[in-house]
Amino acid sequence: MARKRFDDSSCSVARALNEVGDWWSLLVVLHAMYGARRFVDFQQELGIARNILCDRLTRLVDNEVLKKVDVGEHGSRFEYRLTEKGRDLFPIVIALRQWGDKWNPAPDQPPLDLRDRATGRPIRQVAVQNADGDSLTIRDVFVRDDGEATPRKDKKQAG
Amino acid sequence: MARKRFDDSSCSVARALNEVGDWWSLLVVLHAMYGARRFVDFQQELGIARNILCDRLTRLVDNEVLKKVDVGEHGSRFEYRLTEKGRDLFPIVIALRQWGDKWNPAPDQPPLDLRDRATGRPIRQVAVQNADGDSLTIRDVFVRDDGEATPRKDKKQAG
DNA sequence: TAATAGGGTTGCATTTTAAAACCAGATTAA
DNA sequence: TTAATCTGGTTTTAAAATGCAACCCTATTA
């Protein structure tokens, strides 16, 4: 049967995964961040089947993660560029990269060394933080129900 | 043909997606963070087909994102619990939630209000930060090649 | 003018997926 | 103590998704 979709799920994680949660979409976004813009760039860099790439690009454009720009002087030459919504996936992609580097490091090569362009210093580990910038684990957060004013110990954990 | 896998990809994002990049795996992890532990919990909360849930749980256990714990006094009663590797997906799940809330808000209900248990204040937006804690966009980072000492303007963008 | 690059679409065989039926060992209810 | 139910699966079946190769049409280049 058809794959389930989560378009109208009340869970925003499910809705997010509905747009970028398949095998290829986030990799397409990643390579767009690397600088890929043309159909053939994505195709060659990812080794993805052309029809699948077509489908994913179309869907990402429909979901406004990418925009399709006609760059041909006489038509029929296109670029796929990240929208603000697409660029906003940056923390997710970086968090995935750091998780992969930490738990499944490549045996033969060091992880990509991402640095702040302004200072040359490495970037931090992506983390959930409180208002003061302290890192929080899942145990440190709770879900505030409507109208609730103060944190309580017995609240269910969040996600 | 078979779906492509990225087990041995040199890209850590691809390797990460290989483990949690399908439609269901991250939702299983999310619900584990919510508190789900039993097979039936996941099945009912997610509405996932049982055979698919079986497969995903097995794969997550194989990849050490979850561990399967026998909790039956006389056997045959199990719990699936997050490992440290699994809990380490917290920033990714939260970043996805925030992205979904920002770009695809639920029409009829407010987003989940996650707060710091210690202070009761809302958590921050998950972001890529430099060493000082300043948020960085994709344009603010570069890839430092082996042996390079200083940032340069003409480096390719990172991902 | 022919060859080739860009951006696709179509057909086909193979996998995945979802749903429902089935199964076997505990546990609970009557 | 026997039947019903819960738990954690496996099997079967049909619909989609995937990957590959072949094809198409419009520029551009040799």
Side-chain angles (χ1 to χ4, degrees):
Chain A
M1 284 212 120
R3 168 156 71 202
K4 275 203 178 173
R5 298 273 176 186
F6 310 106
D7 314 73
D8 53 355
S9 169
S10 66
C11 173
S12 54
V13 178
R15 292 200 308 281
L17 289 173
N18 197 51
E19 298 196 347
V20 297
D22 68 296
W23 284 99
W24 287 113
S25 295
L26 259 189
L27 288 179
V28 169
V29 169
L30 168 66
H31 280 254
M33 289 178 178
Y34 275 138
R37 294 185 157 191
R38 312 292 291 274
F39 186 92
V40 284
D41 295 340
F42 292 107
Q43 216 263 305
Q44 287 165 6
E45 293 176 18
L46 287 167
I48 183 176
R50 304 162 67 82
N51 51 349
I52 303 299
L53 176 57
C54 238
D55 177 83
R56 292 304 182 274
L57 288 173
T58 302
R59 198 133 59 82
L60 288 170
V61 169
D62 286 347
N63 289 330
E64 299 183 280
V65 172
L66 298 177
K67 58 175 177 263
K68 187 173 183 175
V69 181
D70 190 332
V71 295
E73 294 78 36
H74 311 85
S76 106
R77 196 127 305 193
F78 307 101
E79 284 187 1
Y80 295 89
R81 296 187 195 157
L82 288 167
T83 61
E84 191 195 340
K85 181 176 177 180
R87 282 191 297 273
D88 227 22
L89 289 166
F90 187 48
I92 293 168
V93 169
I94 296 303
L96 271 171
R97 175 180 292 293
Q98 291 175 339
W99 187 81
D101 281 333
K102 177 173 179 181
W103 294 102
N104 296 94
D108 51 348
Q109 58 187 334
L112 217 59
D113 187 3
L114 284 177
R115 292 179 174 238
D116 180 3
R117 195 180 287 278
T119 66
R121 286 191 290 167
I123 64 173
R124 281 192 186 174
Q125 199 75 12
V126 174
V128 178
Q129 298 176 332
N130 66 11
D132 298 323
D134 305 320
S135 291
L136 302 175
T137 72
I138 175 120
R139 289 166 213 266
D140 298 322
V141 303
F142 72 103
V143 180
R144 184 190 189 236
D145 296 332
D146 282 353
E148 186 180 5
T150 53
R152 296 216 309 255
K153 282 288 183 192
D154 59 344
K155 277 295 146 191
K156 77 174 175 205
Q157 283 193 352
Chain B
M1 281 212 124
R3 169 159 68 204
K4 278 200 176 175
R5 298 273 176 184
F6 310 107
D7 314 73
D8 54 355
S9 169
S10 67
C11 172
S12 53
V13 178
R15 292 199 308 282
L17 289 173
N18 197 51
E19 299 195 347
V20 296
D22 68 295
W23 284 99
W24 287 113
S25 293
L26 260 189
L27 288 180
V28 169
V29 169
L30 167 66
H31 280 255
M33 290 177 177
Y34 275 138
R37 295 185 157 192
R38 313 292 292 274
F39 186 92
V40 284
D41 294 340
F42 292 106
Q43 215 264 305
Q44 287 166 6
E45 292 176 18
L46 287 167
I48 183 176
R50 304 161 70 79
N51 51 350
I52 303 299
L53 176 57
C54 241
D55 178 82
R56 292 304 181 274
L57 287 173
T58 303
R59 197 134 58 83
L60 288 169
V61 168
D62 286 348
N63 289 329
E64 300 183 282
V65 172
L66 298 177
K67 57 174 177 264
K68 186 174 183 176
V69 181
D70 190 333
V71 296
E73 295 78 36
H74 310 86
S76 105
R77 194 129 305 192
F78 306 101
E79 285 187 0
Y80 295 88
R81 297 187 195 158
L82 288 166
T83 61
E84 191 194 340
K85 180 176 177 180
R87 283 190 296 273
D88 228 20
L89 289 166
F90 187 49
I92 293 168
V93 169
I94 296 302
L96 270 171
R97 175 181 290 294
Q98 291 174 339
W99 186 83
D101 281 333
K102 177 173 178 181
W103 294 101
N104 296 93
D108 50 349
Q109 58 188 336
L112 218 59
D113 186 4
L114 283 177
R115 293 178 173 240
D116 180 4
R117 195 180 286 280
T119 66
R121 286 192 290 167
I123 63 172
R124 280 192 186 173
Q125 198 75 11
V126 173
V128 178
Q129 299 176 332
N130 66 10
D132 298 323
D134 305 320
S135 291
L136 303 175
T137 73
I138 177 129
R139 289 167 213 266
D140 299 321
V141 303
F142 72 103
V143 179
R144 184 191 189 237
D145 296 333
D146 282 353
E148 185 180 4
T150 54
R152 294 215 309 255
K153 284 289 183 191
D154 60 343
K155 278 294 145 188
K156 76 174 176 206
Q157 284 193 349

